[in-house]
Amino acid sequence: MTTFVDRVELHVAAGNGGHGCASVHREKFKPLGGPDGGNGGRGGDVILTVDQSVTTLLDYHHSPHRKATNGKPGEGGNRSGKDGQDLILPVPDGTVVLDKAGNVLADLVGQGTSYVAAQGGRGGLGNAALASARRKAPGFALLGEPGDVQDVVLELKTVADVALVGYPSAGKSSLISVLSAAKPKIADYPFTTLVPNLGVVTAGSTVYTIADVPGLIPGASQGKGLGLEFLRHVERCSVLVHVLDTATLESDRDPVSDLDVIEAELREYGGLDNRPRMVVLNKIDVPDGKDLAEMVRPDLQARGYRVFEVSAVAHTGLKELSYAIAELVAKARAARPKEEATRIVIRPKAVDDAGFTVVREDDGLFRVRGEKPERWVRQTDFSNDEAVGYLADRLNRLGVEEELVKAGARAGDGVAIGPEENAVVFDWEPTVMAGAEMLGRRGEDHRLEAQRPAVQRRRDRQAERDEAQQEFDDFEPF
């Protein structure tokens, strides 16, 4: 059964915002006490947060679909809806968040570091918040916005100071078990280690973390064996330690050729040339291993490597090795640039930035794109004439109609607001700003009634009844 997962595809959905409420306060002797519809609650966010107690992405491998709760709708009596609860997803230290195209969205390192993977939708305003001197009792409310829906890829890159690299069965797991308190699985066959193991080593006043990277064989950087899955765990390590087997039973292998193969794979993977390195000749407790170590040591030293002969089984040479690694770790930490406090960058809008664009497409359709127009459209209840009229007024005040005229739009031309997949398309008619006399009854807008045949017929019938009633009232008997 899988117990370690370092790459998953996660499908996250934030909560939807609650709808606003359209309500009028009523009480005895006061039937129209003014609008009192409350606002809808905000939808919950989906937040990835580093938790040091989490070491694998296994939970998200089994349950890749996660959703936050929706905001509650507003109610009468100026009662706002409850906000949706944020969904906090704990991830291991060193998790990288990418989009489907492989672009890095966030690099989560350090306890408590977080990233909002999907943002909850805004709650819609109730009619109490929409009331104004001109629109004293709105007969509509704004809808809540849908929450973000995202597909992200999580990749775990082990956060360690030192990486032990080498062929399978070179003794990396044995070495980490005697240098630290880690208890990895150890056996005498290749690919015993299928997951990176972490251990904490104390050498004098220096404390550092050490990890063994399994599965490196020729062709690992091209995906052969397990190497490509775990080479990413080397990226964050500041020191590389080659563990070479001096007692291998394979006739075509020796420590120098093993070193050349692993270095070629690291070089092919890229980005690791500047890491300090040292060589550990392991298994010198075997007589042939001791002789081979003495033979290859001068050659390795001639290449510029610091070489240590150790035996994880006999606990030989471990103290010298741990202090030598601590020295390299201390130098690497001292060479790191000092962390600066996060700067707050203020980017004011340009004075000529209208906040939207109008583009005429090849098929003659005029497309309006911008944060405000698109949000306003999402929050509009198109079954309510007054809400549609309110949207038209907002777009007019923003300057959308003026830009449509400049772009060559004429009455009856098609206008789309928003991206192609969820745009609202309508036949454009120049809008006259509404005054109190244009609003009509609650939920109506006289500017739109003429465009609805059923409504127009109803108004004509009402006008006929009013005319007949007036004639009856004016009738004077003889």
Side-chain angles (χ1 to χ4, degrees):
M1 180 179 177
T2 303
T3 58
F4 179 85
V5 174
D6 63 351
R7 190 178 193 278
V8 296
E9 183 174 333
L10 190 62
H11 311 280
V12 294
N16 299 328
H19 299 330
C21 175
S23 172
V24 175
H25 179 70
R26 290 178 173 87
E27 60 183 74
K28 192 174 182 180
F29 307 119
K30 196 175 182 181
L32 297 177
D36 67 348
N39 302 332
R42 177 187 63 85
D45 298 335
V46 180
I47 304 174
L48 304 174
T49 302
V50 173
D51 187 342
Q52 297 285 7
S53 65
V54 179
T55 59
T56 177
L57 300 172
L58 182 63
D59 287 347
Y60 309 120
H61 172 73
H62 293 307
S63 302
H65 297 271
R66 302 299 177 100
K67 187 181 188 308
T69 58
N70 298 330
K72 300 296 183 181
E75 299 178 4
N78 292 306
R79 289 174 292 180
S80 295
K82 184 179 179 181
D83 290 342
Q85 188 174 2
D86 293 339
L87 179 61
I88 308 297
L89 301 180
V91 295
D93 193 4
T95 300
V96 180
V97 186
L98 308 99
D99 60 16
K100 295 295 288 294
N103 302 312
V104 176
L105 303 177
D107 193 352
L108 305 179
V109 178
Q111 175 70 23
T113 306
S114 61
Y115 169 73
V116 179
Q119 190 166 25
R122 300 187 186 188
L125 296 179
N127 65 342
L130 296 173
S132 64
R134 184 178 59 187
R135 202 182 295 265
K136 296 182 182 298
F140 69 98
L142 298 186
L143 304 179
E145 284 190 274
D148 292 340
V149 177
Q150 302 286 351
D151 293 336
V152 296
V153 176
L154 305 183
E155 283 190 353
L156 174 59
K157 296 182 180 180
T158 303
V159 179
D161 296 302
V162 182
L164 302 181
V165 295
Y167 265 76
S169 293
K172 301 186 297 296
S173 297
S174 300
L175 194 58
I176 198 174
S177 69
V178 295
L179 287 174
S180 69
K183 302 298 180 185
K185 181 181 179 182
I186 298 172
D188 58 354
Y189 56 86
F191 298 107
T192 304
T193 305
L194 298 178
V195 302
N197 295 301
L198 279 175
V200 179
V201 182
T202 302
S205 60
T206 303
V207 179
Y208 57 89
T209 54
I210 188 169
D212 68 325
V213 181
L216 296 189
I217 59 174
S221 59
Q222 279 77 42
K224 188 176 180 181
L226 302 175
L228 190 59
E229 296 182 30
F230 297 113
L231 270 170
R232 71 172 69 97
H233 295 279
V234 184
E235 292 184 26
R236 299 189 191 277
C237 300
S238 54
V239 176
L240 301 182
V241 176
H242 286 280
V243 181
L244 305 179
D245 187 354
T246 61
T248 179
L249 300 177
E250 300 178 35
S251 59
D252 58 342
R253 283 179 50 199
D254 63 80
V256 175
S257 63
D258 287 358
L259 176 65
D260 292 338
V261 168
I262 299 302
E263 277 292 338
E265 295 304 320
L266 296 176
R267 188 164 49 252
E268 186 71 20
Y269 186 74
L272 302 172
D273 295 337
N274 61 339
R275 311 296 167 86
R277 291 158 163 79
M278 67 170 55
V279 172
V280 173
L281 299 173
N282 193 22
K283 304 183 182 179
I284 62 170
D285 55 296
V286 180
D288 291 343
K290 177 67 174 175
D291 296 340
L292 184 57
E294 292 177 353
M295 290 176 57
V296 301
R297 183 185 184 109
D299 188 9
L300 296 173
Q301 289 176 332
R303 297 189 183 190
Y305 293 106
R306 293 183 65 182
V307 182
F308 294 85
E309 299 178 12
V310 304
S311 169
V313 174
H315 291 209
T316 304
L318 299 180
K319 185 175 181 179
E320 294 82 358
L321 174 62
S322 64
Y323 276 86
I325 296 176
E327 181 182 344
L328 287 181
V329 170
K331 290 181 180 179
R333 289 175 179 173
R336 291 175 187 168
K338 294 183 179 180
E339 295 185 1
E340 297 182 358
T342 303
R343 295 182 179 181
I344 299 176
V345 180
I346 300 176
R347 295 184 175 88
K349 285 186 177 181
V351 294
D352 57 347
D353 183 8
F356 67 92
T357 58
V358 176
V359 178
R360 184 170 188 172
E361 299 182 345
D362 296 337
D363 57 359
L365 184 71
F366 292 86
R367 187 171 299 277
V368 180
R369 296 297 306 271
E371 180 184 354
K372 285 185 177 180
E374 293 178 26
R375 185 176 76 245
W376 293 345
V377 165
R378 289 193 299 268
Q379 292 185 313
T380 298
D381 178 8
F382 285 94
S383 65
N384 185 304
D385 285 351
E386 189 178 356
V388 176
Y390 179 71
L391 170 65
D393 292 344
R394 298 177 90 182
L395 294 175
N396 198 354
R397 284 194 297 269
L398 188 63
V400 172
E401 295 211 354
E402 184 179 349
E403 290 300 319
L404 284 171
V405 172
K406 291 180 180 179
R410 297 181 179 180
D413 287 345
V415 175
I417 300 180
E420 293 184 7
E421 57 272 14
N422 56 1
V424 173
V425 183
F426 57 92
D427 294 333
W428 180 57
E429 293 291 340
T431 299
V432 177
M433 291 293 287
E437 71 283 355
M438 297 292 293
L439 296 179
R441 294 178 297 180
R442 294 177 62 246
E444 295 182 357
D445 191 307
H446 292 171
R447 295 170 295 175
L448 302 176
E449 289 180 354
Q451 301 175 22
R452 301 179 182 270
V455 175
Q456 185 62 42
R457 288 195 298 271
R458 187 166 61 250
R459 291 188 62 198
D460 292 342
R461 288 195 297 269
Q462 183 63 39
E464 291 174 0
R465 287 194 294 268
D466 293 344
E467 184 178 356
Q469 181 66 36
Q470 185 64 39
E471 291 179 355
F472 177 79
D473 293 340
D474 294 341
F475 176 74
E476 297 180 1
F478 296 101

